[in-house]
């Protein structure tokens, strides 16, 4: 955050020799962080790109020497119909998850403003519990709930006369199966987004809302024209973060489908993993992963821009 | 230049000496002076602990200064684990490999060539042909057959008696018997006459093969997927009608839980390996009271009186090419697969031994599985077969068929296309 403030200052400052020397200090301070980030992020990313330009199968892995093929891996995924399906599916899935997460979280955050202190503590605790449950553990429980033979969901729906759900298979039909995954992912994402939005809502000055009320604005208008614009930076940040997380979903689907998801349930991350470790085409898997990274870089751009803006205002 | 060259050549000579010294110890005739640690990877459940302990005791008696570490691996993530281990500089010295995986690792240079040592292993003249084939890549031998497994139908004798039916001798008979069982248990909504989880591709192969179909054929060095051939489709159509009429198993599930499900008492028949009888009657995971109620019969052919060819599964034992103790590792494999311990594998472990001379060891219910092995077939012997398995091509195709997402001609032709591409080295 400090850097964001210092940088524009540097640009506008007249460049006198004396100042350049003192201005090395910020760089020296940030140097170690940059070095560590380069080591743990830039280096593996560089390796990934390098790998994606090679034919790298099991033989090459054992011999520690790949065969340079240039952009051939990329050319192949561009014409791969399965890859197109996977991209479209991942995008739709992300859209559904992010949309539902933000809408539901906003509603819960607004509700939290209205309820009593005791209810607020209970809801917050529940949210934190969800947040702290390890993904593998929660997916195991979800798997049991949606089980074909012994699942409590099938039992409940049948008992409630919603229909005959005995031996109903939720993953027969990919649309139903993906709906289940939307539920699981949104359930896991709501706590962070809700708590962040709630913190934001507490910062909205009540006199502004009151003034709008006096002017005759209804509840929806007060939210849409007063609260929402004030929360816009926070909305943007949680949307960007959710997009990054949901686009790269792997664990929930992989664990739920016993580590053998059919092609109908591939996300980009699962597809890259299958190509690398299933079909032992590490170069191809790396190329798919690079595409995933590129898509996320676009989203990250908006996130970083908004973070910098917020920092400048602060 | 001179000064730099000298030390290099000295190092070269030293290395040659070290290499010679190493070679000297391993081929020396005095086993008691050999030292080192052998790491052995066996798959969980493949050999009873008592057999492994016996092998290590015999090995220790001969090589008192060699330590053997047997590490048990799980099937689930073994592919990834093996890739990583073989890529490293110190892979395990001995590895058990599923027979469909050997070609991939042998072709990639992960396993040592043991063609010259074949005669040093007991019974190598009568090894099961299908297992020997799985160990042979481009005419060279890369592993030692370990054990085999073949499938038959395990059934509840009491259910059959109550419904007044006998084990069928044809596929149509299987359907008729199953329908009578379904009728006899019509009040049980969880009952399956033949419990068939949708992704169970090993059990689908007998139907494909029995009608003369195959997974892929090879001509002129190129593979061609052939599950869409009329014969293969006929077999899958037959299987589909059996599953639709007789099974309430999860059409998108796999066979991992079928023994536990069978033990719960709502199933009359499963297609299973011989060792699964032990899982069904296991005091913890299963129901020991079923012991006397279980019988087995071979998967019948569509031609009455004959049996369908089954998939011959099993494992082989290979020595890593990067192992620093190649000779010791081969010696351990020879001890593990010698007459004494192979007999124990069959009698205590209940698996089919690696050679035809011991096939008489199968008695009781096991005899059915032993004889099923005589009419067995194998998946395409290609280094790329593991990719077909790991890409889930066959399970995905079966799920599409059983859940009616795709008609058999469409599902088989897209699977065949994928198999053709994968076997020929593409994605």
């Amino acid at each position: 955050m400090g850097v964001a403030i210092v940088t524009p200052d540097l640009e506008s400052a007249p460049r006198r020799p004396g100042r350049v020397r003192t201005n090395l200090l910020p760089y020296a301070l940030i140097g170690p962080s940059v070095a560590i980030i380069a080591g743990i992020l830039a280096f593996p990313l560089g390796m990934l790109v390098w790998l994606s330009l090679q034919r790298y199968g099991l033989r090459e892995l054992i011999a520690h020497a790949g065969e340079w093929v240039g952009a051939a891996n990329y050319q192949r995924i561009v014409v791969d119909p399965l890859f197109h399906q996977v991209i479209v599916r991942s995008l739709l899935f992300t859209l559904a998850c992010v949309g539902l997460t933000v809408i539901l979280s906003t509603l819960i955050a607004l509700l939290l403003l209205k309820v009593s202190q005791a209810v607020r503590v209970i809801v917050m605790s529940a949210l934190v519990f969800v947040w702290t449950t390890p993904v593998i553990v929660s997916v195991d429980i979800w798997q049991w709930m949606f089980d074909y033979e012994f699942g409590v969901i099938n039992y409940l729906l049948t008992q409630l006369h919603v229909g005959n759900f005995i031996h109903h298979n939720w993953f027969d039909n990919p649309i139903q199966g993906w709906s289940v995954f939307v539920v699981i992912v949104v359930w896991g994402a709501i706590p962070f987004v809700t708590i962040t939005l709630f913190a934001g809502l507490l910062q909205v000055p009540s006199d502004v809302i009151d003034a709008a009320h006096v002017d005759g604005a209804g509840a929806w208008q007060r939210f849409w024209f007063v609260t929402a614009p004030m929360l816009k930076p926070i909305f943007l940040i949680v949307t960007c973060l959710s997009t990054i997380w949901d686009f790269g979903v792997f664990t929930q689907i992989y664990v739920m489908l016993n580590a053998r998801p059919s092609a109908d349930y591939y996300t980009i991350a699962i597809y890259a993993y299958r190509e690398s470790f299933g079909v032992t085409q590490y170069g191809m898997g790396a190329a798919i992963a690079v595409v995933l990274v590129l898509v996320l870089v676009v989203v990250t751009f908006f996130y970083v821009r908004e973070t910098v803006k917020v920092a400048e205002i602060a | 230049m001179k000064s730099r060259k000298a030390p290099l050549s000295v190092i070269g000579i030293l290395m040659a000496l070290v290499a010679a010294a190493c070679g000297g110890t391993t081929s020396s005739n005095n086993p008691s002076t050999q030292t080192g640690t052998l790491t052995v990877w066996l798959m969980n459940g493949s050999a009873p602990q008592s057999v492994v302990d016996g092998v290590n005791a015999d090995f220790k008696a001969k090589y008192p200064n060699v330590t053997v570490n047997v590490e048990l691996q799980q099937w689930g993530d073994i592919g990834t684990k093996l890739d990583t281990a073989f890529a490293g500089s110190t892979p395990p010295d001995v590895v058990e490999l599923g027979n469909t995986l050997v070609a991939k690792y042998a072709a990639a240079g992960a396993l040592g060539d043991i063609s010259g040592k074949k005669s040093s292993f007991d019974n190598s003249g009568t090894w099961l042909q299908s297992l020997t084939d799985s160990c042979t890549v481009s005419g060279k031998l890369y592993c030692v057959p370990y054990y085999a497994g073949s499938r038959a139908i395990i059934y509840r004798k009491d259910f059959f008696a109550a419904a007044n039916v006998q084990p069928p001798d044809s596929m149509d008979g299987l359907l008729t018997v199953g329908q009578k069982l379904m009728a006899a248990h019509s009040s049980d909504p969880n009952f399956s006459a033949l419990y068939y989880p949708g992704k169970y591709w090993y059990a689908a192969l007998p139907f494909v093969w029995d009608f003369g179909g195959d997974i892929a054929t090879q001509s002129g060095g190129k593979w061609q997927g052939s599950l869409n051939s009329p014969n293969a489709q006929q077999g899958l159509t037959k299987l589909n009608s059996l599953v639709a009429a007789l099974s309430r198993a999860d059409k998108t599930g796999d066979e991992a839980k079928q023994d536990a499900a069978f033990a719960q008492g709502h199933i009359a028949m499963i297609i299973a390996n011989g060792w699964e009888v032990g899982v069904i009657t296991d005091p913890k995971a299963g129901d020991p009271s079923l012991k006397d109620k279980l019988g087995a019969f071979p998967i019948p052919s569509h031609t009455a009186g004959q049996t369908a060819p089954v998939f011959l599964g099993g494992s082989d034992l290979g020595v890593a090419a990067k192992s620093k103790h190649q000779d010791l590792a081969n010696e351990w494999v020879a001890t593990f697969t010698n007459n004494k311990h192979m007999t124990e594998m069959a009698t205590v472990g209940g698996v089919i031994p690696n050679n035809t001379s011991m096939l008489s060891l199968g008695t009781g219910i096991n005899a059915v599985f032993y004889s099923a092995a005589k009419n067995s077939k194998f998946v395409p012997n290609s280094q790329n077969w593991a990719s077909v398995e790991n890409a889930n091509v066959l399970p995905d195709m079966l799920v599409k068929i059983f859940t009616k997402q795709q008609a058999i001609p469409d599902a088989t032709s897209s699977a065949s296309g994928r198999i053709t591409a994968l076997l020929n080295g593409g994605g």
Side-chain angles (χ1 to χ4, degrees):
Chain A
M1 283 194 178
V3 182
I5 298 162
V6 169
T7 319
D9 194 42
L10 269 176
E11 299 295 325
S12 58
R15 297 186 176 264
R16 276 172 293 167
R19 283 205 61 153
V20 174
R21 207 169 299 147
T22 49
N23 280 344
L24 284 177
L25 183 64
Y27 295 103
L29 289 175
I30 205 173
S33 320
V34 170
I36 289 171
I37 291 171
I40 60 174
L41 282 179
F43 174 70
L45 208 57
M47 288 284 284
L48 186 74
V49 173
W50 177 73
L51 193 59
S52 75
L53 299 172
Q54 302 182 65
R55 183 184 159 80
Y56 211 96
L58 186 63
R59 171 176 288 281
E60 290 76 18
L61 182 72
I62 289 170
H64 296 283
E67 181 194 332
W68 187 263
V69 292
N73 288 328
Y74 293 95
Q75 282 163 355
R76 261 184 59 194
I77 54 176
V78 164
V79 295
D80 177 7
L82 181 58
F83 183 70
H84 295 168
Q85 281 176 31
V86 169
I87 289 265
V88 171
R89 203 184 290 140
S90 295
L91 286 171
L92 289 175
F93 176 70
T94 308
L95 196 70
C97 286
V98 174
L100 278 172
T101 305
V102 173
I103 291 170
L104 291 174
S105 300
T106 310
L107 291 174
I108 299 173
L110 287 170
L111 188 68
L112 281 173
L113 280 180
K114 300 281 173 201
V115 297
S116 69
Q117 186 67 26
V119 175
R120 194 183 290 174
V121 168
I122 292 169
V123 175
M124 279 290 199
S125 317
L127 288 175
V128 172
F129 268 123
V130 171
W131 199 356
T132 49
T133 308
V135 177
I136 302 274
V137 175
S138 64
V139 175
D140 247 5
I141 296 168
W142 280 107
Q143 190 184 35
W144 167 75
M145 297 209 315
F146 279 101
D147 188 86
Y148 165 81
E149 269 161 301
F150 312 108
V152 70
I153 305 265
N154 282 350
Y155 173 79
L156 272 180
L157 290 174
T158 310
Q159 292 296 309
L160 294 170
H161 299 288
V162 178
N164 180 10
F165 281 84
I166 293 175
H167 285 168
H168 177 71
N169 192 325
W170 289 89
F171 302 99
D172 248 14
N173 173 341
I175 294 180
Q176 266 187 22
W178 280 104
S179 309
V180 170
F181 288 120
V182 168
V183 168
I184 296 174
V185 169
V186 169
W187 172 85
I190 278 179
F192 168 75
V193 178
T194 304
I195 290 169
T196 310
L197 285 174
F198 179 64
L201 282 173
L202 291 177
Q203 304 300 314
V204 176
S206 56
D207 48 348
V208 183
I209 305 273
D210 292 342
H213 202 171
V214 171
D215 288 345
W220 171 249
Q221 287 170 313
R222 288 201 299 278
F223 173 74
W224 194 245
F225 294 111
V226 182
T227 313
M230 292 183 125
L231 287 185
K232 194 183 147 211
I234 296 182
F235 272 123
L236 210 67
I237 287 173
V238 292
T239 306
C240 288
L241 282 177
S242 301
T243 308
I244 292 168
W245 292 331
D246 295 349
F247 198 68
V249 156
F250 179 90
T251 319
Q252 286 88 338
I253 296 172
Y254 201 71
V255 174
M256 189 90 174
L257 299 178
N258 295 321
R260 298 223 125 189
S262 68
D264 286 334
Y265 290 101
Y266 283 4
T267 57
I268 297 194
I270 292 178
Y271 191 38
Y273 181 82
R274 270 268 155 261
E275 282 296 315
S276 295
F277 298 99
V279 193
T280 41
Q281 294 287 347
Y282 295 95
M284 183 65 88
I288 296 168
V290 168
V291 173
L292 173 65
V293 171
L294 286 178
V295 173
L296 292 182
V297 161
V298 175
V299 182
T300 314
F301 169 76
F302 290 104
Y303 170 67
V304 171
R305 198 181 62 175
E306 203 54 38
T307 318
V308 170
K309 266 194 208 162
V310 172
E312 278 170 4
I313 293 163
Chain B
M1 284 296 276
K2 241 183 175 179
S3 62
R4 293 191 86 183
K5 220 172 180 179
L8 272 181
S9 59
V10 169
I11 291 169
I13 292 164
L14 277 175
M15 280 171 70
L17 280 174
V18 170
C22 286
T25 43
T26 39
S27 62
S28 90
N29 290 326
N30 190 358
S32 62
T33 60
Q34 298 210 24
T35 56
T37 302
L38 274 188
T39 305
V40 178
W41 278 15
L42 293 183
M43 299 311 298
N44 187 27
S46 78
Q49 192 58 44
S50 63
V51 176
V52 176
D53 290 344
V55 172
N56 284 340
D58 286 2
F59 194 76
K60 194 89 194 167
K62 194 171 177 192
Y63 298 96
N65 299 315
V66 177
T67 312
V68 180
N69 288 329
V70 176
E71 296 169 2
L72 294 185
Q73 306 296 324
Q74 305 297 327
W75 281 108
D77 55 353
I78 192 63
T80 314
K81 217 166 167 184
L82 284 171
D83 287 7
T84 322
F86 283 130
S89 52
T90 51
D93 302 284
V94 177
V95 278
E96 174 185 347
L97 292 165
N99 56 350
T100 62
L101 291 176
V102 174
K104 165 182 163 182
Y105 292 105
L111 300 175
D113 175 5
I114 55 165
S115 309
K117 300 194 177 78
K118 187 178 174 188
S119 59
S120 66
F121 300 100
D122 281 5
N123 301 309
S124 56
T126 55
W127 278 345
L128 296 181
Q129 191 58 43
S130 171
L131 287 183
T132 312
D133 288 349
S134 75
C135 278
T136 311
V137 176
S138 309
K140 289 181 183 154
L141 188 71
Y142 287 96
C143 57
V144 172
Y146 174 21
Y147 69 87
S150 59
R151 288 174 173 78
I153 295 177
I154 296 179
Y155 74 105
R156 286 281 297 267
K157 290 194 279 193
D158 52 333
F159 287 174
F160 271 50
N164 200 19
V165 290
Q166 299 292 323
D169 71 342
S170 72
M171 280 182 191
D172 287 335
L174 183 60
L175 181 63
T176 317
V177 164
Q179 283 167 332
K180 283 184 182 159
L181 287 159
M182 291 302 279
H185 294 261
S186 57
S187 59
D188 179 356
N190 291 316
F191 184 79
S192 293
L194 174 68
Y195 184 88
Y196 195 102
K199 287 185 177 163
Y200 195 6
W201 65 275
Y202 295 115
L205 296 178
F207 294 86
V208 171
W209 285 328
D210 189 56
F211 283 86
D214 209 342
I215 302 170
T217 54
Q218 195 180 23
S219 71
K222 280 277 175 192
W223 287 97
Q224 177 66 49
S226 56
L227 284 171
N228 55 344
S229 73
N231 291 351
Q233 289 197 41
Q234 242 182 316
L236 290 168
T237 307
K238 179 62 81 183
L239 174 64
N240 190 29
S241 62
L242 284 169
V243 170
L246 309 179
S247 174
R248 287 200 177 100
D250 183 351
K251 290 186 172 63
T252 66
D254 62 28
E255 69 275 18
K257 288 188 285 187
Q258 73 167 4
D259 301 324
F262 190 90
Q264 292 188 343
H266 302 279
I267 295 168
M269 296 182 270
I270 51 171
I271 300 175
N273 274 298
W275 51 263
E276 289 178 57
V277 171
V279 184
I280 295 166
T281 55
D282 182 81
K284 271 189 225 152
D287 179 1
S289 73
L290 292 178
K291 203 152 209 155
D292 300 326
K293 296 175 183 161
L294 298 181
F297 61 88
I299 300 170
S301 162
H302 69 285
T303 312
Q306 295 182 12
T307 63
V310 293
F311 167 72
L312 192 78
S315 278
D316 302 313
L317 295 161
V319 172
K322 288 180 185 170
S323 162
K324 293 175 181 63
H325 307 286
Q326 302 260 344
D327 289 334
L328 281 174
N330 276 307
E331 189 70 24
W332 191 88
V333 171
T335 312
F336 196 20
T337 58
N338 68 18
N339 274 318
K340 176 185 164 193
H341 297 298
M342 192 44 63
T343 306
E344 289 171 359
M345 279 298 293
T347 51
V348 183
V351 297
I352 299 173
N354 69 356
N355 63 85
T356 52
S357 353
M358 291 184 180
L359 284 183
S360 57
L361 291 172
T363 53
I365 199 169
N366 263 341
V368 174
F369 296 92
Y370 275 57
S371 65
K374 290 177 190 155
N375 182 15
S376 62
K377 292 182 81 121
F378 195 54
V379 295
N381 199 10
S382 148
Q383 62 178 81
N384 295 317
W385 172 256
S387 298
V388 177
E389 269 188 40
N390 290 330
N392 295 328
V393 180
L394 280 93
D396 283 2
M397 176 193 79
L398 291 173
V399 169
K400 293 251 189 274
I401 293 173
F402 296 145
T403 60
K404 300 188 174 60
Q405 286 183 57
Q406 277 186 345
I408 291 177
D410 299 337
T412 51
S413 88
S414 83
S416 276
R418 190 109 171 86
I419 289 171
T420 304
L422 284 166
L423 286 182
N424 292 320

